[in-house]
Amino acid sequence: CAPPISGRLARLYRDRGVSSAAYITAFNPYSRGQSPAGNEAAHHALVRAVLERRLALLHAESRAPDGSHPEKGLLALGIDLVAARDLGTRFEQNAIVFADADAVPRLVLLR
C-alpha cells in the first residue's frame, strides 16, 4: 500500500512551482534542551542558511502530541534531499522531514 499524498503539500508545490520540501528545526540540538535565547539564535541562523541558498521558506512550529514543547522550524521549499540533510546535520538534528515530488512526507534519520 502506497503512503498517502499530502494534498495540501501537493497544492503548495503547484502554487510555488517546486517539487520538494523539508521541515527542519534548529531547536534543541541532538535533543538536548537549550536556553530560549540559544534556540532563538539557532533558529535565526537556520533561516539565514536557507535564505542564503535562495530558497523560499514558510515559518512553522511543531509540538508534542499533548501540545507541549513548541519548537520553531521552517519548511524549506524546493530544497533537495542532500541539502536538507546537510542543514539538519549542520544544526545537529536527529532527523528532518523530507517530501520529494510525490508530496509524501518522510522522516529522514540523520544519526
Side-chain angles (χ1 to χ4, degrees), residues 53-106:
R53 292 172 185 258
R54 300 184 187 277
L55 297 168
L57 63 88
L58 297 175
H59 292 278
E61 183 178 272
S62 59
R63 295 179 178 267
D66 67 2
S68 65
H69 301 92
E71 290 190 356
K72 287 184 181 179
L74 56 83
L75 186 69
L77 301 172
I79 194 168
D80 64 43
L81 180 57
V82 172
R85 289 177 65 94
D86 178 61
L87 285 173
T89 300
R90 178 174 161 191
F91 288 93
E92 299 181 339
Q93 297 301 300
N94 293 316
I96 59 169
V97 177
F98 182 80
D100 214 336
D102 62 6
V104 176
R106 293 177 175 88

Side-chain angles (χ1 to χ4, degrees), residues 29-54:
Y30 296 140
S31 299
R32 294 185 311 262
Q34 302 294 307
S35 70
N39 278 329
E40 286 295 326
H43 176 72
H44 290 295
L46 173 60
V47 168
R48 282 191 306 274
V50 170
L51 294 175
E52 286 171 0
R53 292 172 185 258
R54 300 184 187 277

